[in-house]
């Protein structure tokens, strides 16, 4: 950063000041001094953020009367716009602003001690007041006293924590104590006197003179940065990360300190005191990590108080009877690249950390990226580089990530720096990062087609990459270079560390603390020479041809070194680029002569991109342009230098960008003309373009010739414009003048000139004024402004063809931006069916697309495309219709196959004689079966109208489920589905045979079809399902019904139902059937049936011996206590025993499982099984197949 004094205000009558407080939100500055002096000042009216020049007028200068003694304390409550002051007599006054006048709102005087400090909470709700005798008072904003406390020791200072949960007290013994917001002591913070080994020796100097705790109201740039600063009289400062920091940062400022203050953003700490040697008043500025940023010497006997302005761009200093204002120019991390893209780092107020905004000036688009731990931002050409500190959560190790980004912040390439990145520079091909001793060089250039000198440069880059890789490390101590893989950092500190670096495409310049500027050749990194300067370079800038270098030292003094014309004997030749010869310098005290230029208070320098003799420098708030070291008339400017080319200096008011990146406007980018360009504009305005020609001829520059040509065009001085375009080699301009000469009408020439300069509205108006709307249409057509073309045609110019073309172009415009609804409207007006269909498709308006399909004639070229659209979203019906109408039956078949509509595919294939459908079906089904997706294969057979194949596959799956005994209900469902497929096949066969012919022919055809199918039914489950479709379904139905009845304690019904299973020994395992019969009979206490079931179990042939022995033991245990008897106690019908003994089936009710002996029954027309009507209890569907009963059967 750079700091300089900008303004001084004298206090009347020489009254000495004791306190300063600057309101961060409204800009009021309260100054308290001796004899009860209290003033509230405000510099100028409210000004735009970022304007750093010191205002010359006071918009408010009021003296507040009420204090009798010296005003020693003052503090603002920014949220409630209140000022609280206290004098040496202990009188406290709260001031409020009413109609532009400050008046007393509250007065309090304890009359026992002096107020040492007062602090409001960050939200302005509470204030804490501490007295010299140890008294503490905490009050609310409305004047109520919340609590008070008498400490055992005296107090000197107080601070609130950022969240207002704790209060930090400083005692007269320089002890730090933390209390909660209710006045209960929490802990003590170790001070420097506690940490010092020689406590007694330094006790007198280790007095705490100031303490400041950043309130965090504007966010945190770094969540790990210290926020609590404790300043001691001996110059040391303790920076802690809150009250629990066990390892705070210690600064030794070398001053006798009086005051310390954070700026309102928490990024800069100001320490005020006097130097030990000369007793000068000095303010030193430090970063939160303790790095010294700048020193500022202030006239006078000493600084009694200081305060920051809101935003941290100015600081007020109370020195004797004066208020000095100093402007601070923070070192923003930013850059301009890729034509007109600004990248800048800012601190989001709503969260901690740092973010980057990429602002495209041409389009106004802004892209934001997170960049926590940001150290540097550099930009040039088409890329920018960001360097961030990244901490690994597990290992706590910090790495320095270098990221090469494009114009929208996307990371193109990334590396990790082996050095602590204190300095950074960027060229078109290299990223250079320096610590205090080493320079890390990363070549990121990509191969591209170049010519001439650039081609030679490209060859050198390629040779460097092949010889030593793209990453190297330079040791400036001995000028040695090693590849990154071989680099080992030496921990020894250098006597003259690096202070700055810069680079061009051919050379690297490294500034050191002793004033030496080392020059190294790129890309070889050989040291060429050492240039001597009289002080340490703080900023280095090299011109476009590397012949001169601008040097700014730490005191803001600017000098220029002429690298090409320097005396060879007075600069040190260390090593030639292509040899190893060395030459010792003649005198260690020789300093290379600086060119005759030395300016003060300079904080930024920028060379022109197109002129090695011109550069711009920022001196305080003035922009100075130099040509051959001759300064031009300075202009007032508060921006940061961004670019200098074509006699125009572009600067950016970065304060606007970093404070409100979302609201920043293009007026934050300021273009300043150089003196020659301003003079040319004045001459043209006074005497015309022709008379200014001689001036430009005497001071030639492409930008001057171009401006002269443009001015001549505006005046329609074609001869002068032609000569000027020739002098600036503007072929396009020459051709434009040639076209103008071909126009005889002066108004047409004016319109063309207006269009040439982009003033299209003016050009169109001229054409309309001369009643040439056709030329206006032609102009808008060339510009691609089809909306305006349509408006002009509708107003009476042009024809229908032009109007249609404009509608079509407008549709293309909106379609290119994915605004399909708007595009569809214009395509409708243009009558473009194909593009309208594309819009319907994009909008997923398939109803409109089908309507469009129905309106198209047969074999329309769009039909095939419509078919593909419908096919892509799974709408097979309109897709097939479109393909067939387009005479593409093969595409229709393929669509049906793709969408699994095999039945429709078979119909189309049969109608058009395609035989390959059977092969596709077999191939697809085989693939599904190999993948184990049998149910998908079933669905495939069903869609292909192959019910027998589907039935056989379902029966096979059901049999597998039954064998595994996994889920009987699932097995039943599969058998039902298989049986339904068989029924569907039989119905289809009957329908086909009854279509034509008499009864005899129908009967013969039906019998033949069924016999053919019987022959093709195969074996196993497939044969069973075709022979008796409902056998398996009925078996598992009764099996599940018996279990359900058994669990419902319907033991007799469960026994009857399980007896019915004796018929299905070929479907269910015998042991399962008769075990279920035995179990249900046991619970029904029907020992006769139970004994029959045990006899069946004991005579099973396919069971193991152990199982049969267990069955016999169980039978003995049961029938020892219960004799089987000779008949069933439940009087079962003989059909039950015939089924149990011989497997003879009987008609059983599908609802109850009982034998149908008498009573009204209902027969299902699908599965042809009976159910007792009284047992259905109003059910309207079959319990077995779940088919609905006919209406006449429904209750």
């Amino acid at each position: 950063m750079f700091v300089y004094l900008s303004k001084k205000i004298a206090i009347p009558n020489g009254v000495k000041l004791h306190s300063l407080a600057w309101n961060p939100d409204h800009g009021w500055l309260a100054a308290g001094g001796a004899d009860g002096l209290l003033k509230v000042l405000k510099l100028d009216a409210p000004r735009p953020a970022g304007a750093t020049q010191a205002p010359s007028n006071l918009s408010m200068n009021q003296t507040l009367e009420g204090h009798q003694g010296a005003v020693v304390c003052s503090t603002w409550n920014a949220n409630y716009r209140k000022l609280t002051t206290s004098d040496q007599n202990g009188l406290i006054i709260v001031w409020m602003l009413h109609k532009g006048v400050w008046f007393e709102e509250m007065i309090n005087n304890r009359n026992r001690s002096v107020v040492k400090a007062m602090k409001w909470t960050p939200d302005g709700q509470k204030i804490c007041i501490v007295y010299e005798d140890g008294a503490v008072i905490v009050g609310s904003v409305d004047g109520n006293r919340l609590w008070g406390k008498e400490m055992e020791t005296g107090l000197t200072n107080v601070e609130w924590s950022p969240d207002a949960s704790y209060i930090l007290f400083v005692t007269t013994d320089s002890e730090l104590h933390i209390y909660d917001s209710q006045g209960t002591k929490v802990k003590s913070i170790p001070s420097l006197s506690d940490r010092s080994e020689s406590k007694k020796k330094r006790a007198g100097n280790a007095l705490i003179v100031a303490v400041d705790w950043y309130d965090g109201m504007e966010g945190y740039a770094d969540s790990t940065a210290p926020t609590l600063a404790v300043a001691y009289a001996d110059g040391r400062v303790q920076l802690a990360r809150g009250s629990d920091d066990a390892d705070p940062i210690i600064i030794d400022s070398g001053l006798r300190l009086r005051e310390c203050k954070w700026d309102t953003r928490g990024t800069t700490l100001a320490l005020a005191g006097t130097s030990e040697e000369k007793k000068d008043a000095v303010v030193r500025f430090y970063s939160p990590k303790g790095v010294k940023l700048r020193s500022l010497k202030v006239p006078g006997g000493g600084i009694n108080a200081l305060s920051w302005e809101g935003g941290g761009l100015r600081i007020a200093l109370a020195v004797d009877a004066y208020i000095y204002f100093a402007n601070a120019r923070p070192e923003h991390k930013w850059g301009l690249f890729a034509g007109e893209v600004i990248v800048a780092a800012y601190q989001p107020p709503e969260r901690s950390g740092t973010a980057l905004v990429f602002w495209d000036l041409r389009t106004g688009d802004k892209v934001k990226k997170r960049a926590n731990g940001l150290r540097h931002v550099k930009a040039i050409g088409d890329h920018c580089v960001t360097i961030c500190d990244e901490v690994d959560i597990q290992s706590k190790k910090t790495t320095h990530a270098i990221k090469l980004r494009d114009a929208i912040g996307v990371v193109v390439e990334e590396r990790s720096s082996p050095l602590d990145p204190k300095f950074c520079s960027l060229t078109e091909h290299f990223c250079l990062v320096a610590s205090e001793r080493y320079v890390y060089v990363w070549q990121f250039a990509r191969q591209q087609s170049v010519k001439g000198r650039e081609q030679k440069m490209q060859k050198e880059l390629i040779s460097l990459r092949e010889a030593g890789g793209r990453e190297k490390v330079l040791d400036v101590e001995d000028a040695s270079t090693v590849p990154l893989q071989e680099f080992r950092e030496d921990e020894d500190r250098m006597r003259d560390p690096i202070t700055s670096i810069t680079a061009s495409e051919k050379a690297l310049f490294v500034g050191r603390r002793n004033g030496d500027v080392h020059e190294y050749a790129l890309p070889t990194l050989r040291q060429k020479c050492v240039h001597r300067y009289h002080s340490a370079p703080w900023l280095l800038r090299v011109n476009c041809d590397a012949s001169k270098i601008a040097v700014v030292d730490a005191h803001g003094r600017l000098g220029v070194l002429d690298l090409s014309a320097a005396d060879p004997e007075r600069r040190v030749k260390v090593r030639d680029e292509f040899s190893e010869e060395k030459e010792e310098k003649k005198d260690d005290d020789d300093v290379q002569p600086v060119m005759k230029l030395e300016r003060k208070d300079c904080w930024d320098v920028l060379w022109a991109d197109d002129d090695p003799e011109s550069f711009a420098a920022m001196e305080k708030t003035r922009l100075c342009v130099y040509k051959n070291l001759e300064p031009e008339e300075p202009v007032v400017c508060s921006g940061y230098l961004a670019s200098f080319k074509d006699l125009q200096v572009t600067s950016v008011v970065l304060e606007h960008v970093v404070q409100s990146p979302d609201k920043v406007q293009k007026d934050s980018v300021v273009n300043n003309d150089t003196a020659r360009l301003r003079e040319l504009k004045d001459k043209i305005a006074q005497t015309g373009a022709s008379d200014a020609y001689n001036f430009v001829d005497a001071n030639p520059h492409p930008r001057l010739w171009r401006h002269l040509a443009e001015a001549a065009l505006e005046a329609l001085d074609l001869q002068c414009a032609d000569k000027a375009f020739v002098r600036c080699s503007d072929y396009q301009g020459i051709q434009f003048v040639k076209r103008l000469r071909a126009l005889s009408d002066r108004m047409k020439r004016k319109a063309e000139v207006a269009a040439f300069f982009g003033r299209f509205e003016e050009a169109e108006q001229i054409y309309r004024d001369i009643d040439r709307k056709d030329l206006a249409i032609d102009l808008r057509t060339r510009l691609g402004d089809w909306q305006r073309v349509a408006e002009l045609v509708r107003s009476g110019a042009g024809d229908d063809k032009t109007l249609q073309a404009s509608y079509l172009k407008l549709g293309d415009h909106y379609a290119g931006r994915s605004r399909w609804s708007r595009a569809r409207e214009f395509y409708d007006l243009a009558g473009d069916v194909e593009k309208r269909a594309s819009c319907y498709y994009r909008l997923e308006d398939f109803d409109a697309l089908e309507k469009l399909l129905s309106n198209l004639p047969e074999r329309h070229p769009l039909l095939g495309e419509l078919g593909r659209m419908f096919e892509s979203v799974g709408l097979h019906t309109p897709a097939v219709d479109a393909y067939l109408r387009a005479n593409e039956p093969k595409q229709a078949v393929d669509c049906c196959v793709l969408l699994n509509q095999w039945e429709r595919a078979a119909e189309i294939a049969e109608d058009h004689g395609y035989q390959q459908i059977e092969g596709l079906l077999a191939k697809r089904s085989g693939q599904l079966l190999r993948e184990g997706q049998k149910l998908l294969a079933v669905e495939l057979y069903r869609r292909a109208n192959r019910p027998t194949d589907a039935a056989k596959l379902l029966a096979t799956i059901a049999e597998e489920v039954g064998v595994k005994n996994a889920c009987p209900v699932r097995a039943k469902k599969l058998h039902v589905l298989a049986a339904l497929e068989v029924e569907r096949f039989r119905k289809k066969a009957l329908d086909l045979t009854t279509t034509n012919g008499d009864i005899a022919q129908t009967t013969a055809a039906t019998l033949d079809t069924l016999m053919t199918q019987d022959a093709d039914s195969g074996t196993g489950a497939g044969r069973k399902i075709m022979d008796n479709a409902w056998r398996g379904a009925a078996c598992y139905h009764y099996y599940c019904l018996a279990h359900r009845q058994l669990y419902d304690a319907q033991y007799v019904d469960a026994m009857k139902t399980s007896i019915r299973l004796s018929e299905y020994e070929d479907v269910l395992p015998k042991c399962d059937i008769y075990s279920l019969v035995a179990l249900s009979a046991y619970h029904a206490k029907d020992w006769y049936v139970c004994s029959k079931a045990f006899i069946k179990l004991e005579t099973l042939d396919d069971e193991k011996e152990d199982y049969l022995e267990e069955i016999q033991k169980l039978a003995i245990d049961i029938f020892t206590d219960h004799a089987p008897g000779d008949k069933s106690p439940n009087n079962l019908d003989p059909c039950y025993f015939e089924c149990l003994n011989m497997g003879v089936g009987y008609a059983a009710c599908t609802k109850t499982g009982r034998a149908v002996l008498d009573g009204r029954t209902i027969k299902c027309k699908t599965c042809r099984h009976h159910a007792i009507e009284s047992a259905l209890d109003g059910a309207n569907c079959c319990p077995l197949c779940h088919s609905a009963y006919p209406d006449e059967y429904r209750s």
Side-chain angles (χ1 to χ4, degrees), residues 565-822:
D567 185 359
E569 295 185 357
R570 294 186 64 84
R571 69 177 181 180
V572 186
K573 285 188 177 180
V574 178
R575 182 182 300 173
D576 188 80
E577 185 176 353
F578 300 104
S579 67
E580 300 295 331
E581 297 180 1
K582 294 183 180 181
E583 179 182 335
E584 296 183 357
K585 57 185 179 180
K586 293 184 177 181
D587 189 352
D588 290 339
D589 297 328
D590 281 349
V591 176
Q592 180 174 332
V594 182
M595 301 179 68
K596 295 181 179 180
L597 172 73
E598 185 162 342
R599 308 289 292 190
K600 296 181 179 180
D601 295 325
C602 178
W603 53 273
D604 198 5
V605 179
L606 183 65
W607 289 91
D609 293 342
D610 51 5
D611 187 359
E613 302 297 333
S614 298
F615 66 91
M618 288 299 302
E619 300 173 6
K620 293 187 176 180
T621 56
R622 299 182 304 169
L623 170 62
C624 300
V625 177
Y626 296 86
K627 172 68 173 177
N628 294 323
L629 303 184
E630 293 297 328
E632 298 178 356
E633 184 69 24
V635 295
V636 176
C637 179
S638 59
Y640 287 71
L641 298 179
S643 67
F644 184 10
K645 60 183 178 181
D646 286 342
L647 302 181
Q648 196 170 62
V649 181
T650 302
S651 60
V652 182
V653 184
L654 286 177
E655 286 75 18
H656 292 172
V657 181
V658 301
Q659 289 177 9
S660 302
D662 293 323
K663 301 178 182 179
V664 64
Q665 301 295 327
K666 287 187 177 181
D667 56 5
S668 298
V669 180
V670 182
N671 294 317
N672 293 285
D673 298 334
T674 61
R676 286 190 291 170
L677 185 55
R678 291 198 302 269
E679 187 175 355
L680 174 62
K681 290 181 178 180
D682 293 340
K683 285 185 177 295
I684 293 173
Q686 295 172 4
T687 63
S690 298
D691 294 338
Y693 183 88
N694 294 332
F695 171 78
V696 181
D697 192 30
N699 302 276
H701 191 280
R703 175 59 189 277
L704 297 180
W705 287 117
R706 187 164 61 251
H707 185 78
L708 178 62
E710 293 171 356
L713 280 179
E714 292 284 5
L716 295 182
D717 188 348
L718 301 185
Q719 182 178 0
C720 181
D722 186 52
K723 291 191 293 182
F725 277 131
V726 170
R727 295 294 296 270
C728 65
S729 303
D730 189 341
Y731 181 76
Q732 181 183 1
I734 296 171
Q735 293 299 315
F736 179 69
V737 172
K738 185 177 179 180
R739 290 200 306 272
L740 287 181
R741 283 175 172 165
L743 299 176
S744 58
D745 192 337
R746 179 179 177 83
M747 297 304 293
K748 290 182 181 180
R749 289 183 177 182
K750 289 184 65 176
E752 287 296 324
V753 170
F756 181 79
F757 290 116
R759 304 194 302 269
F760 306 114
E761 297 294 335
E762 178 184 341
E764 180 188 331
Q765 187 60 43
I766 294 173
Y767 285 132
R768 292 169 65 92
D769 292 342
I770 63 176
D771 199 21
R772 290 299 303 270
K773 291 184 178 180
D774 58 323
L775 296 179
I777 292 176
D778 181 61
L779 171 65
R780 292 298 180 178
T781 301
R782 291 194 311 243
L783 295 175
D785 188 356
W786 299 104
Q787 182 72 42
R788 187 58 185 157
V789 170
E791 293 174 1
L792 289 171
V793 173
R794 286 197 296 266
S795 67
D799 52 14
D800 292 342
K801 184 177 181 181
T802 305
L803 183 61
Q804 184 179 8
S806 64
Y807 286 145
L808 188 60
K809 290 294 185 180
L810 284 171
D812 293 341
H813 170 79
Y814 289 111
R817 288 156 180 78
S818 299
R819 297 176 59 181
W820 303 108
S821 297
R822 190 70 173 149

Side-chain angles (χ1 to χ4, degrees), residues 344 346 348-350 354-359 365-371 405 407-410 657 659-664:
Y346 71 98
E350 72 279 1
T354 305
L356 292 171
V357 58
F358 293 82
W359 177 23
D365 296 336
K366 300 180 182 72
V367 179
K368 296 179 181 179
K369 300 287 184 180
R370 295 295 299 178
R405 299 176 182 266
I408 58 174
V410 176
V657 181
Q659 289 177 9
S660 302
D662 293 323
K663 301 178 182 179
V664 64

Side-chain angles (χ1 to χ4, degrees), residues 19-30:
S19 66
L20 281 179
W22 209 331
N23 188 303
D25 294 341
H26 303 92
W28 299 311
L29 178 63

Side-chain angles (χ1 to χ4, degrees), residues 211-273:
V211 60
D212 194 26
W213 204 335
Y214 171 55
D215 57 15
M217 295 300 289
E218 296 189 27
Y220 298 88
D222 185 354
S223 59
T224 63
T227 56
L228 175 60
V230 182
Y232 295 80
D234 61 359
R236 293 178 297 164
V237 181
Q238 178 176 327
L239 301 180
R241 302 164 184 84
S243 60
D244 298 324
D245 192 355
D247 186 22
I249 298 173
I250 308 300
I251 300 174
D252 193 348
S253 65
L255 303 174
R256 294 291 301 176
L257 292 180
R258 296 284 300 274
E259 187 64 278
C260 76
K261 286 286 184 182
W262 290 106
D263 69 351
T264 57
R265 298 176 300 164
T267 58
T268 306
L269 177 67
L271 304 177

Side-chain angles (χ1 to χ4, degrees), residues 448-640:
Q448 53 188 355
S449 58
V450 288
K451 297 181 180 180
R453 189 174 66 86
E454 294 184 2
Q455 188 173 9
K456 179 181 177 182
M457 179 69 179
Q458 190 72 18
K459 291 181 179 179
E460 292 178 353
L461 293 173
I462 296 173
S463 64
L464 172 64
R465 181 163 59 243
E466 294 174 349
R470 303 196 331 173
E471 299 175 78
K472 289 191 175 185
V473 179
L474 169 68
D475 186 352
V476 299
E477 186 70 14
D478 56 8
S480 61
T481 304
V482 296
L484 177 62
Q485 296 79 3
E486 302 176 10
F487 170 68
R488 298 294 181 270
E489 187 171 4
D490 191 347
E491 299 296 336
D492 295 340
R493 293 182 60 87
M494 291 182 62
R495 183 179 61 181
D496 296 308
I498 297 173
T499 58
S500 61
I501 66 170
T502 190
S504 67
E505 291 301 321
K506 299 292 290 183
L508 163 67
F509 299 91
V510 179
R512 299 178 66 175
R513 190 167 61 185
N514 62 354
D516 288 349
V517 179
H518 294 243
E519 182 179 355
Y520 301 88
L522 285 176
T524 59
L525 294 179
R526 293 177 180 269
Q527 186 172 3
K528 298 174 65 176
C529 58
V530 177
H531 308 279
R532 303 300 301 276
Y533 195 67
H534 52 70
S535 59
W538 171 68
L539 178 69
L540 293 176
R541 293 286 187 268
V542 63
N543 66 350
C544 57
D545 63 356
S547 62
K548 293 180 178 65
I549 188 168
V551 184
V552 180
D553 64 13
H555 302 288
R557 293 173 297 192
L558 168 64
V560 177
L561 293 175
D562 190 347
L563 306 181
S564 60
D567 185 359
E569 295 185 357
R570 294 186 64 84
R571 69 177 181 180
V572 186
K573 285 188 177 180
V574 178
R575 182 182 300 173
D576 188 80
E577 185 176 353
F578 300 104
S579 67
E580 300 295 331
E581 297 180 1
K582 294 183 180 181
E583 179 182 335
E584 296 183 357
K585 57 185 179 180
K586 293 184 177 181
D587 189 352
D588 290 339
D589 297 328
D590 281 349
V591 176
Q592 180 174 332
V594 182
M595 301 179 68
K596 295 181 179 180
L597 172 73
E598 185 162 342
R599 308 289 292 190
K600 296 181 179 180
D601 295 325
C602 178
W603 53 273
D604 198 5
V605 179
L606 183 65
W607 289 91
D609 293 342
D610 51 5
D611 187 359
E613 302 297 333
S614 298
F615 66 91
M618 288 299 302
E619 300 173 6
K620 293 187 176 180
T621 56
R622 299 182 304 169
L623 170 62
C624 300
V625 177
Y626 296 86
K627 172 68 173 177
N628 294 323
L629 303 184
E630 293 297 328
E632 298 178 356
E633 184 69 24
V635 295
V636 176
C637 179
S638 59
Y640 287 71

Side-chain angles (χ1 to χ4, degrees), residues 878-899:
V880 170
D881 183 29
Y883 284 133
L884 293 178
R885 292 179 60 192
N887 196 25
E888 297 181 6
K890 185 177 184 305
Q891 294 292 336
V893 172
D894 293 340
C895 173
C896 292
V897 171
L898 179 65
L899 300 180

Side-chain angles (χ1 to χ4, degrees), residues 995-1015:
T995 303
N996 296 310
D998 55 15
I999 297 177
Q1001 291 176 343
T1002 299
T1003 304
T1006 302
L1007 182 61
D1008 181 64
T1009 301
L1010 295 177
M1011 292 297 293
T1012 303
Q1013 183 60 41
D1014 182 69

